[in-house]
Amino acid sequence: MTYKFMAAMLSASTAAIAIHAPDAQAQTSPRSQSDRQAYDIAAQDLKTALRQYGRISGREIVASSDLVAGRRSARVEGRLTADAALARLLAGTGLVAEPIDGALVIREGNDGTGERGSTDGRDDAIIVTGTRIRGGGPVGSPLEVVDRDALDRSGRATLADFIQTIPQNFSGGPGEANVGTTARSGAGSNLSFGSTINLRGLGPGSTLTLFDGTRPALGGGSGAFADLSLVPSAAIDRIEILTDGASAIYGSDAVAGVVNLRFRNRFEGRETRLRAGTADGDYGEYQLGQIVGTRWSGGHLVVAGEYYRRGSLGSTQRDFTTEDLRRFGGPDLRSNYDNPGTIVAANGQRFQIPRGQDGTALTPAMLVAGDFRRGDARRNIDILPKQETLSFYASTEQDVGDTITLFARGFYAERKFEARQRVFGPSPITVTSANPFYVDPIGTGQPITVYYDPTADFGAETARGKVRALNVSAGARAALGPWSVEVAGGYGRQREASDVINVVNRLRLSRAVAATNAAQAINLFGDGAVNSPALIDSLRGGLDRRVGYDVWTASLRADGPLVQLAAGEVKMALGAEYRRDRLRFRQVLDFTTDTPLTLGIPGLPDKRIVRAIYAEVAAPIFDAGSSFPGALTLSVAGRYEDYSDVGDTANPKFGARWTPLPGVALRSSYGRSFRAPNFDQLVGSANALYQVLRLPDPQSPTGQSIVLGLFGFRPDLGPEKAESWTAGVDVEPGFLPGARLSATWFRISYRDRIASANSDLQNFLRRRDVYGSLIDPNPDPAVVAAYFAGPSFSNSIGATPAQIVAIVDGRTRNLSRATVSGIDFDLAYNHAVGDGRVGLSVGGTRLLKFDNRITDSAPSTDVLGTLGNPVKLRLRGRAGFTLGAFDGGIGFNHAAGYRNLTVTPAERVGSWTTFDLQLGARIGAPERRSLRLALSVNNILDTDPPYVQFRTTGSAFGYDPEQASAIGRTLALQAILSW
């Protein structure tokens, strides 16, 4: 029977191959199956990987060329037995190895749903992102896996940097380059220059980030995002990206998708990483990483550490980060503040204060009549902050008997940051003749107004501080027959301290302006720093903010087979979870009062408790093998969650995968998802403001109406909700071995989004067709009277209740809708060349629409391809090779052009394409001590971002940090020593 099987298998293809035939010594002295060898086999075409495996293990491998063509191996690293190494190598290929007459014959198997690139855990204990069932992948949902090799060959130093190259990600929201430029998508809460991921541009709160399947503590002023800048890249094994709604599996936040960071928990050996990089010679980064892994009988331990340091990037280092945009065809947006400044006399005339004098002997004759002296605030602002990060990771497991495994994992990081940042900025200062340095340009002795930039005296406003994060988890797994049961618990905490220095205390400044003694009065009339340091120090204020986020988790889960069908086993997973979150916020304000004010967030909930139960079933409906109609698998999942603050929610998900022919798979999914409000969105009426306003009103004879405006947060805020659909195809054509195509259509319909329309308050009465649901045109007099009598009422125009003709609701509430649809695609081709290979790949996202609707009754607006929103097309591609000890590649990143509707007339923004180069060489054998040297040149052509007239609250510049990077060409050298 054995000989017949081998003969049939080999005769099935004229290209049958012996992957490895051991030499005579290996044949007479085979290695024991329990012996461990050092393996370092990259993820690559399967034929080459099997050859490397055969050389290391000494085993004879037999496979059909047609069978392995077009398949890629998983990465294998560490000291492993030959069986364990081969199992990892074949994970996710759909193939198994069967021992026949002393050789290992590769054939089709039933593990095709295994986790691609996994080196984590036993082969039968694999859980892929998007499912709770071990040993399988998410049925019907698209999943992208970025392995360790792809990270190494990307040329990116940090995980946060690499995430920005993913086509499905939109760089708007919390990112270090966005601080101080926009408040969109929670960017305003990024107090400590963290970085996160924002799939589909629906906001970072709509993307769930996991650390090995566990929720980490969150960052930012409202605890709204996972800070990826804290994660040591040396400890990452792979990134699993599920671009599909998954609240039925994971609960809140998994609206646009899930990003699961998998750590190198099975690493064995020692690896040291060194990296140094620079951008145009004025922006440097340094990175040192170390990982050590060891194994003993029934257990293992992995410890990793990383240090990363990067300098700041000042605006003066890039031509396009200036407020004077005339060189790009734009306007001059410099402010009226400079040093020396400008005097506006009592009659409105403007006089520039001359340079080269200290203001103590200034006379009216020395002043220069004309316009304001314009100042470029960008010269004192950093594009990117100085960052210094120290992080550690540890993982251990221990078997207890034959059925129980104990495990624990921990992660700790500290990050320091510092950046010049415009937080408050200057304001006009009125100076009277009492000031000893007073100069009246027109000789009337009346008060003058000085437009003075205090930076020369006080220094640039600067934010600096520290972030500390700790995430630990522990638990036990038990094998109960074919079922696996796991109980686990975890704790995470993140502490952020952000201090803004060189702030002017405006109350103390006003006293110094009014002082009559020259030693106590401030001199606003000089060029540069002309005041005494002691006086300036007495006028300094500040802004200190402290944020703490804590999360406790506990879970009980089980999975295993339910029943055997003709097509295979029906498998099930079920479990229960508990989570407790807490956010603390405190700030000390010292810029408007004599004594610093310590404030929290009134009404902030003390804690949030979440209890959940879930179940998931995957069933094979039929399986005709390689004959039509092939195989069909269906899945259904459901999750119920109860929140202590916003009620309960139930969400289902359905998936289907059909492989009608070999090499062709069709898949689809449908699910409902949700996102719970952030803590600071649940303060209710504690921060309410009820204010009388005059608004434009075409229905009023005077053109205006007096209304009562409601501001703050509605007390009945509930979760945001979404429905997600996907349909896709995966093709690996038999006529072109090594080629594969994947395409996925998706649609996310997002409703009850938490938002406020008060930014467009002036249009409420003019656009009743849009804002009608937020207007009460005939308010009850008793309701109006109650608002007038409340403690949060403000009436600056002195209106009476009888004059109120409408109540307009500008509160944050479950208000808007959004619908985003598009196509993700990935095309790749790998071809073996001798002992090497060449590969081509291109992938991207083509968005079809991104509709926003402010209210249910309002018309929808397509914001796709506009400033502040995702572009229509993003691409990422690479052409690479591996040849013996050498490897390299050229990659490109492309973002389509878009429109800037924030200016009049609207401007067209050009597309942006950059090219990257990576070259590497390995010295030594992978199974022994080896050194890999790599050169990376990102943005090799030093292509500047396209010009955009990008305006912020207090400044402006000429590029879009949400769509492009200001860094420019980056050159880096990296050494990876395995020993």
Side-chain angles (χ1 to χ4, degrees):
M1 180 67 180
T2 297
Y3 290 105
K4 291 180 180 179
F5 175 83
M6 287 191 69
M9 185 267 181
L10 295 176
S11 64
S13 171
T14 57
I17 54 171
I19 296 293
H20 176 71
D23 55 27
Q25 181 179 1
Q27 292 177 359
T28 56
S29 304
R31 294 189 178 101
S32 167
Q33 290 186 9
S34 61
D35 289 345
R36 298 182 182 277
Q37 297 293 319
Y39 291 86
D40 187 359
I41 303 175
Q44 56 191 299
D45 66 276
L46 185 57
K47 178 181 175 181
T48 303
L50 286 170
R51 280 194 175 122
Q52 292 182 13
Y53 168 81
R55 284 195 294 268
I56 299 172
S57 66
R59 289 180 161 186
E60 181 178 1
I61 312 295
V62 179
S64 162
S65 292
D66 291 342
L67 189 64
V68 299
R71 301 181 191 264
R72 285 178 57 81
S73 73
R75 177 183 176 86
V76 180
E77 62 177 352
R79 295 188 61 80
L80 305 167
T81 65
D83 287 343
L86 184 57
R88 295 183 186 182
L89 191 75
L90 296 176
T93 65
L95 304 178
V96 295
E98 182 174 348
I100 300 177
D101 283 356
L104 289 174
V105 178
I106 307 299
R107 63 174 179 81
E108 292 278 3
N110 59 1
D111 66 340
T113 58
E115 180 176 1
R116 190 179 189 87
S118 173
T119 60
D120 184 13
R122 296 187 177 95
D123 302 304
D124 59 353
I126 294 169
I127 291 184
V128 182
T129 301
T131 181
R132 298 286 192 173
I133 298 174
R134 295 175 185 267
V139 177
S141 295
L143 179 69
E144 178 182 354
V145 179
V146 181
D147 62 18
R148 180 74 249 174
D149 287 313
L151 292 173
D152 287 340
R153 286 170 169 78
S154 70
R156 313 286 167 167
T158 66
L159 179 63
D161 191 17
F162 176 81
I163 287 294
Q164 306 310 312
T165 69
I166 296 174
Q168 295 88 350
N169 179 58
F170 171 53
S171 297
E176 57 179 352
N178 297 335
V179 176
T181 67
T182 177
R184 287 187 290 265
S185 299
S189 71
N190 190 8
L191 307 180
S192 302
F193 295 87
S195 296
T196 190
I197 188 167
N198 180 4
L199 293 177
R200 310 299 187 203
L202 291 172
S206 300
T207 300
L208 175 62
T209 302
L210 302 173
F211 291 178
D212 266 334
T214 300
R215 288 175 179 260
L218 301 180
S222 56
F225 67 93
D227 189 353
L228 300 181
S229 68
L230 298 168
V231 179
S233 60
I236 295 296
D237 180 63
R238 64 195 182 278
I239 309 169
E240 296 173 353
I241 306 171
L242 182 80
T243 51
D244 189 12
S247 287
I249 307 295
Y250 298 108
S252 178
D253 305 339
V255 175
V258 181
V259 176
N260 196 0
L261 307 184
R262 297 291 194 177
F263 292 91
R264 302 168 79 177
N265 296 319
R266 310 299 294 183
F267 177 84
E268 292 183 44
R270 293 167 294 277
E271 180 183 274
T272 303
R273 292 170 170 263
L274 300 169
R275 176 188 171 96
T278 183
D280 289 347
D282 51 28
Y283 172 83
E285 61 179 3
Y286 308 93
Q287 191 176 45
L288 169 64
Q290 178 68 54
I291 183 170
V292 177
T294 186
R295 177 181 289 274
W296 58 88
S297 178
H300 70 266
L301 173 69
V302 174
V303 178
E306 185 173 272
Y307 173 78
Y308 175 76
R309 179 184 177 89
R310 193 199 64 203
S312 61
L313 179 62
S315 290
T316 56
Q317 302 297 326
R318 298 295 180 264
D319 292 340
F320 46 83
T321 48
T322 174
E323 293 181 335
D324 187 354
L325 303 177
R326 289 175 293 178
R327 75 184 73 175
F328 307 104
D332 184 358
L333 298 176
R334 291 178 297 167
S335 73
N336 295 334
Y337 299 92
D338 201 3
N339 188 306
T342 301
I343 296 174
V344 178
N347 64 355
Q349 281 187 276
R350 300 160 185 170
F351 298 85
Q352 294 181 8
I353 299 173
R355 299 188 183 279
Q357 51 82 41
D358 63 6
T360 58
L362 185 63
T363 65
M366 299 168 63
L367 301 175
V368 181
D371 202 354
F372 286 99
R373 171 174 280 119
R374 311 293 292 277
D376 190 349
R378 293 303 307 182
R379 68 182 184 272
N380 297 312
I381 296 176
D382 288 327
I383 304 171
L384 292 173
K386 180 190 301 183
Q387 299 268 27
E388 185 177 19
T389 306
L390 183 63
S391 52
F392 300 94
Y393 178 79
S395 170
T396 186
E397 283 193 9
Q398 178 63 57
D399 293 339
V400 179
D402 296 330
T403 60
I404 298 176
T405 299
L406 305 179
F407 62 87
R409 296 166 185 166
F411 158 72
Y412 177 79
E414 286 189 3
R415 178 171 57 82
K416 298 178 182 178
F417 62 90
E418 181 174 326
R420 296 174 299 168
Q421 181 186 10
R422 174 61 63 89
V423 180
F424 299 105
S427 58
I429 301 174
T430 300
V431 183
T432 69
S433 58
N435 184 289
F437 306 103
Y438 168 87
V439 177
D440 183 6
I442 59 177
T444 64
Q446 294 180 288
I448 60 174
T449 302
V450 181
Y451 285 75
Y452 153 81
D453 184 349
T455 302
D457 276 315
F458 286 82
E461 292 180 343
T462 300
R464 63 187 182 190
K466 177 188 289 188
V467 182
R468 292 172 294 134
L470 171 69
N471 289 279
V472 295
S473 63
R477 288 190 299 267
L480 302 179
W483 277 69
S484 175
V485 178
E486 179 180 294
V487 58
Y491 171 70
R493 65 179 296 174
Q494 185 155 321
R495 300 291 184 264
E496 299 189 15
S498 175
D499 300 332
V500 181
I501 62 172
N502 298 333
V503 174
V504 179
N505 184 295
R506 296 182 180 180
L507 177 61
R508 293 195 284 269
L509 175 64
S510 65
R511 292 173 179 163
V513 171
T516 58
N517 187 312
Q520 298 173 337
I522 188 168
N523 178 359
L524 307 179
F525 302 93
D527 181 4
V530 298
N531 290 281
S532 72
L535 174 63
I536 293 301
D537 287 343
S538 70
L539 305 179
R540 292 186 185 276
L543 173 62
D544 303 338
R545 291 168 287 191
R546 301 292 184 269
V547 185
Y549 193 98
D550 297 88
V551 56
W552 293 261
T553 60
S555 63
L556 174 64
R557 62 189 64 166
D559 71 281
L562 277 181
V563 64
Q564 180 72 39
L565 300 180
E569 287 183 327
V570 177
K571 296 183 178 181
M572 181 179 187
L574 67 163
E577 295 179 346
Y578 170 90
R579 191 172 88 246
R580 183 175 183 266
D581 298 272
R582 186 179 67 180
L583 174 71
R584 292 289 181 268
F585 180 91
R586 178 178 61 86
Q587 60 181 345
V588 179
L589 292 77
D590 184 18
F591 55 87
T592 58
T593 59
D594 266 331
T595 304
L597 298 177
T598 301
L599 303 173
I601 301 178
L604 191 70
D606 177 65
K607 62 181 177 297
R608 166 182 286 167
I609 295 177
V610 185
R611 299 176 176 88
I613 56 174
Y614 64 86
E616 180 185 4
V617 176
I621 305 305
F622 57 78
D623 189 350
S626 59
S627 302
F628 187 83
L632 174 66
T633 301
L634 302 179
S635 71
V636 59
R639 184 183 181 98
Y640 171 81
E641 290 201 334
D642 179 68
Y643 278 71
S644 60
D645 48 9
V646 294
D648 59 358
T649 179
N651 294 276
K653 184 171 183 178
F654 305 91
R657 179 181 176 85
W658 179 32
T659 54
L661 297 171
V664 178
L666 305 175
R667 48 182 166 75
S668 65
S669 67
Y670 165 79
R672 292 208 305 258
S673 300
F674 74 101
R675 187 189 78 84
N678 298 333
F679 275 97
D680 62 342
Q681 294 172 335
L682 294 173
V683 297
S685 59
N687 285 333
L689 173 64
Y690 310 126
Q691 187 174 7
V692 176
L693 305 165
R694 286 190 178 94
L695 294 183
D697 184 6
Q699 297 183 10
S700 170
T702 64
Q704 287 187 325
S705 289
I706 297 177
V707 302
L708 176 62
L710 311 182
F711 305 100
F713 294 86
R714 281 184 65 102
D716 57 348
L717 272 177
E720 301 176 340
K721 302 172 184 177
E723 289 184 306
S724 302
W725 297 262
T726 72
V729 58
D730 303 309
V731 180
E732 295 188 6
F735 63 84
L736 187 61
R740 66 180 186 275
L741 168 67
S742 176
T744 302
W745 170 86
F746 62 89
R747 183 176 187 269
I748 302 172
S749 180
Y750 211 167
R751 68 184 190 278
D752 296 334
R753 298 198 71 186
I754 297 172
S756 169
N758 63 29
S759 61
D760 203 23
L761 195 65
Q762 295 296 314
N763 286 322
F764 267 40
L765 301 183
R766 290 190 291 204
R767 294 296 309 273
R768 294 174 188 258
D769 58 323
V770 175
Y771 302 104
S773 62
L774 303 178
I775 302 170
D776 180 0
N778 299 296
D780 186 336
V783 173
V784 174
Y787 280 122
F788 267 64
S792 300
F793 177 70
S794 172
N795 189 359
S796 60
I797 65 175
T800 66
Q803 293 177 290
I804 302 298
V805 301
I807 296 178
V808 296
D809 195 343
R811 292 175 293 180
T812 297
R813 56 191 289 171
N814 293 105
L815 180 65
S816 67
R817 289 176 174 262
T819 301
V820 57
S821 65
I823 298 174
D824 294 329
F825 56 90
D826 185 71
L827 178 64
Y829 176 70
N830 286 276
H831 181 69
V833 179
D835 287 337
R837 65 184 176 90
V838 294
L840 301 171
S841 66
V842 61
T845 296
R846 173 60 167 93
L847 292 180
L848 302 176
K849 71 174 181 179
F850 200 122
D851 288 348
N852 274 345
R853 180 176 295 175
I854 297 176
T855 67
D856 288 337
S857 60
S860 62
T861 302
D862 189 359
V863 299
L864 177 61
T866 62
L867 182 69
N869 297 286
V871 297
K872 292 182 179 181
L873 178 66
R874 288 197 68 191
L875 296 173
R876 178 181 61 179
R878 190 174 190 273
F881 73 91
T882 300
L883 185 61
F886 300 94
D887 64 83
I890 296 177
F892 76 92
N893 297 278
H894 172 79
Y898 53 100
R899 296 169 297 155
N900 181 5
L901 303 182
T902 66
V903 297
T904 303
E907 295 177 347
R908 180 70 185 175
V909 182
S911 62
W912 192 52
T913 303
T914 60
F915 294 89
D916 305 330
L917 171 68
Q918 295 89 38
L919 297 172
R922 185 184 296 275
I923 303 172
E927 61 268 24
R928 296 187 296 272
R929 183 175 300 179
S930 66
L931 172 66
R932 182 178 185 271
L933 299 175
L935 168 68
S936 300
V937 186
N938 290 337
N939 193 358
I940 192 170
L941 301 179
D942 200 20
T943 305
D944 285 343
Y947 166 72
V948 186
Q949 189 181 147
F950 197 100
R951 302 193 187 199
T952 73
T953 302
S955 183
F957 44 89
Y959 91 108
D960 184 354
E962 296 178 317
Q963 300 287 6
S965 170
I967 297 175
R969 181 190 297 115
T970 303
L971 175 69
L973 293 173
Q974 184 181 53
I976 303 176
L977 175 64
S978 299
W979 48 289

Coordinates of all heavy atoms in Angstrom, one line a residue, residues 307-310 386-390 414-417:
Y307 N 15.2 49.9 23.2 CA 15.4 51.3 23.4 C 15.4 52.1 22.1 O 16.0 51.6 21.1 CB 16.8 51.6 24.1 CG 17.1 53.0 24.2 CD1 16.5 53.8 25.3 CD2 18.0 53.7 23.4 CE1 16.9 55.2 25.4 CE2 18.3 55.0 23.5 CZ 17.8 55.7 24.5 OH 18.1 57.1 24.6
Y308 N 14.6 53.2 22.1 CA 14.5 53.9 20.8 C 14.6 55.4 21.2 O 14.0 55.9 22.1 CB 13.1 53.6 20.2 CG 12.8 54.5 19.0 CD1 13.5 54.2 17.7 CD2 12.0 55.5 19.0 CE1 13.2 55.0 16.6 CE2 11.7 56.3 17.9 CZ 12.3 56.0 16.7 OH 12.1 56.8 15.6
R309 N 15.4 56.1 20.4 CA 15.5 57.6 20.6 C 15.5 58.2 19.2 O 16.1 57.8 18.3 CB 16.8 57.9 21.3 CG 17.1 59.4 21.5 CD 18.4 59.6 22.2 NE 18.7 61.0 22.3 CZ 18.4 61.7 23.4 NH1 17.8 61.1 24.4 NH2 18.7 63.0 23.5
R310 N 14.8 59.4 19.2 CA 14.7 60.1 17.9 C 14.6 61.6 18.3 O 14.0 62.0 19.2 CB 13.4 59.7 17.2 CG 13.3 60.2 15.8 CD 11.9 60.2 15.3 NE 11.1 61.2 16.0 CZ 9.8 61.1 16.1 NH1 9.1 60.1 15.5 NH2 9.1 62.0 16.8
K386 N 10.6 65.3 19.9 CA 11.7 64.4 20.3 C 11.0 63.3 21.1 O 10.2 63.5 22.0 CB 12.6 65.2 21.2 CG 13.8 64.4 21.8 CD 14.6 65.2 22.8 CE 15.1 66.5 22.2 NZ 15.9 67.2 23.3
Q387 N 11.4 62.0 20.8 CA 10.9 60.9 21.5 C 12.0 60.0 22.0 O 13.0 59.8 21.4 CB 10.0 60.0 20.5 CG 8.8 60.8 20.0 CD 7.5 60.6 20.8 OE1 7.6 60.4 22.0 NE2 6.4 60.8 20.1
E388 N 11.7 59.4 23.2 CA 12.7 58.4 23.8 C 11.8 57.4 24.5 O 11.1 57.7 25.4 CB 13.6 59.1 24.8 CG 14.7 58.2 25.3 CD 15.7 58.9 26.2 OE1 15.3 60.0 26.7 OE2 16.8 58.3 26.5
T389 N 12.0 56.1 24.0 CA 11.2 55.0 24.5 C 12.0 53.9 25.0 O 13.0 53.4 24.3 CB 10.2 54.5 23.4 OG1 9.5 55.6 22.9 CG2 9.2 53.5 24.0
L390 N 11.7 53.3 26.2 CA 12.3 52.1 26.7 C 11.2 51.2 27.0 O 10.2 51.5 27.8 CB 13.1 52.5 28.0 CG 13.8 51.3 28.7 CD1 14.9 50.8 27.7 CD2 14.4 51.8 30.0
E414 N 8.1 53.0 28.9 CA 8.1 54.4 29.3 C 8.5 55.2 28.0 O 9.5 54.8 27.3 CB 9.2 54.7 30.4 CG 8.7 54.2 31.7 CD 9.7 54.7 32.8 OE1 10.7 55.4 32.4 OE2 9.5 54.4 34.0
R415 N 7.8 56.2 27.8 CA 8.2 57.1 26.6 C 8.2 58.6 27.1 O 7.2 59.0 27.7 CB 7.1 56.9 25.5 CG 7.4 57.8 24.3 CD 6.5 57.5 23.1 NE 5.1 57.5 23.4 CZ 4.4 58.6 23.5 NH1 4.9 59.8 23.2 NH2 3.1 58.6 23.7
K416 N 9.3 59.2 26.8 CA 9.4 60.6 27.1 C 9.3 61.4 25.8 O 9.7 60.9 24.7 CB 10.8 61.0 27.7 CG 11.0 60.3 29.1 CD 12.4 60.6 29.6 CE 12.7 59.9 30.9 NZ 14.0 60.2 31.4
F417 N 8.7 62.6 25.8 CA 8.5 63.4 24.6 C 8.7 64.9 25.0 O 8.6 65.3 26.1 CB 7.1 63.2 24.1 CG 6.0 63.6 25.0 CD1 5.5 64.9 25.0 CD2 5.5 62.8 26.0 CE1 4.5 65.4 25.9 CE2 4.5 63.2 26.8 CZ 4.0 64.5 26.8

